[in-house]
Amino acid sequence: MKVVRGLTERQIRRRENILAAARKLLTEHGFEGVTMRELAKDSGVTPKTLYHLFESKEKLLLTAVEERFRYLYQMINEAQIDRGIDRLFYIIDTAAETTRKSIAYARAILPILSAASESPIVEIRKATYRRAITQIADEGDFLDWVDVDLINRVIYQQVVATWQSRWYEKESAGRLAFNMAKLDVSLILRSVTAGYTHKRATETIREMQARYKGSRSG
């Protein structure tokens, strides 16, 4: 949870209740279906209070989504993972599992994620992926000629496209989307790394090939 300075404990609890209610209504009604009147009713405040605290519905919903992202990625960052590529796969797997468990919420926030080309949400995600890529660099697995910043941008864009896709209507398509993201990341890293990262990427590519070859033949 993001710490908000200058608020009393009661004000913090009120703010948390409002943001929790916002996420609940997002899940039930989607972005366009949320109204400030219903949100005020569910969170036990007046619409005037909501506008005073957040200025608009758009800012309120963005704040609610941002704080959930901040909490999720903080947990991811705190995970003790020895290797950078394993951290990268852990990020993808955790995002996939979180999305699977809250598929209605994932559908609801798609307009927010699609519109947020530059926002705290983007920076939260970028920082987490950057940490994994930096870890690979610190391990010395990137080839000498590799521009690590460029690889970081390429991998981030490759994975974040999964969140922008319309696979949310069907869970099996969602699993495939995230698995393909891991395959794409492995193909990229295999071509620019040595050592453990190269080996792990190769193993993942072979695993994915075997899995989808088997599913086609079945």
Side-chain angles (χ1 to χ4, degrees):
M1 182 188 69
K2 183 179 179 181
V3 176
V4 181
R5 297 178 180 177
L7 296 183
T8 66
E9 184 176 341
R10 179 175 176 274
Q11 289 172 326
I12 290 173
R13 285 200 305 270
R14 181 182 65 178
R15 185 176 185 276
E16 290 174 357
N17 288 339
I18 292 170
L19 297 180
R23 288 187 288 267
K24 174 178 174 290
L25 291 175
L26 263 173
T27 302
E28 293 174 353
H29 304 302
F31 182 82
E32 296 298 332
V34 177
T35 67
M36 293 292 262
R37 184 176 297 277
E38 186 175 10
L39 181 50
K41 180 181 177 181
D42 278 23
S43 53
V45 299
T46 65
K48 182 178 180 180
T49 297
L50 294 183
Y51 283 108
H52 174 73
L53 293 174
F54 298 99
E55 297 182 17
S56 67
K57 183 185 89 168
E58 289 72 21
K59 286 188 178 181
L60 195 164
L61 295 181
L62 182 60
T63 300
V65 173
E66 176 192 332
E67 294 214 356
R68 180 160 176 170
F69 264 84
R70 194 178 298 279
Y71 175 73
L72 171 63
Y73 281 87
Q74 180 179 339
M75 289 195 304
I76 291 173
N77 286 330
E78 290 174 352
Q80 299 299 312
I81 301 176
D82 292 337
R83 297 285 188 165
I85 188 172
D86 293 329
R87 178 174 294 279
L88 197 54
F89 289 160
Y90 175 74
I91 298 168
I92 297 171
D93 288 341
T94 303
E97 182 64 12
T98 301
T99 301
R100 186 190 67 79
K101 289 180 177 179
S102 308
I103 195 71
Y105 178 77
R107 293 190 195 109
I109 67 173
L110 188 59
I112 296 176
L113 298 183
S114 300
S117 58
E118 292 297 332
S119 74
I121 293 174
V122 172
E123 290 308 312
I124 290 167
R125 291 196 298 190
K126 279 184 176 180
T128 301
Y129 284 99
R130 189 182 303 116
R131 179 180 177 186
I133 299 301
T134 300
Q135 190 171 341
I136 295 173
D138 291 342
E139 292 159 6
D141 278 0
F142 280 117
L143 302 179
D144 292 342
W145 53 268
V146 172
D147 184 330
V148 176
D149 289 337
L150 176 60
I151 294 298
N152 178 60
R153 290 197 298 272
V154 170
I155 287 179
Y156 175 78
Q157 291 299 327
Q158 194 68 40
V159 177
V160 79
T162 306
W163 289 83
Q164 307 293 345
S165 65
R166 294 287 178 177
W167 62 262
Y168 299 102
E169 297 300 326
K170 189 175 180 182
E171 183 176 327
S172 60
R175 291 182 183 275
L176 175 61
F178 279 105
N179 284 336
M180 292 305 293
K182 287 179 70 173
L183 176 59
D184 291 341
V185 167
S186 297
L187 288 167
I188 294 168
L189 289 177
R190 187 180 185 277
S191 66
V192 295
T193 59
Y196 177 86
T197 303
H198 182 87
K199 178 182 177 182
R200 183 78 167 85
T202 302
E203 289 172 351
T204 302
I205 293 167
R206 288 174 176 167
E207 176 189 335
M208 294 293 180
Q209 284 179 332
R211 178 183 302 178
Y212 291 112
K213 183 178 180 181
S215 64
R216 289 198 303 271
S217 62

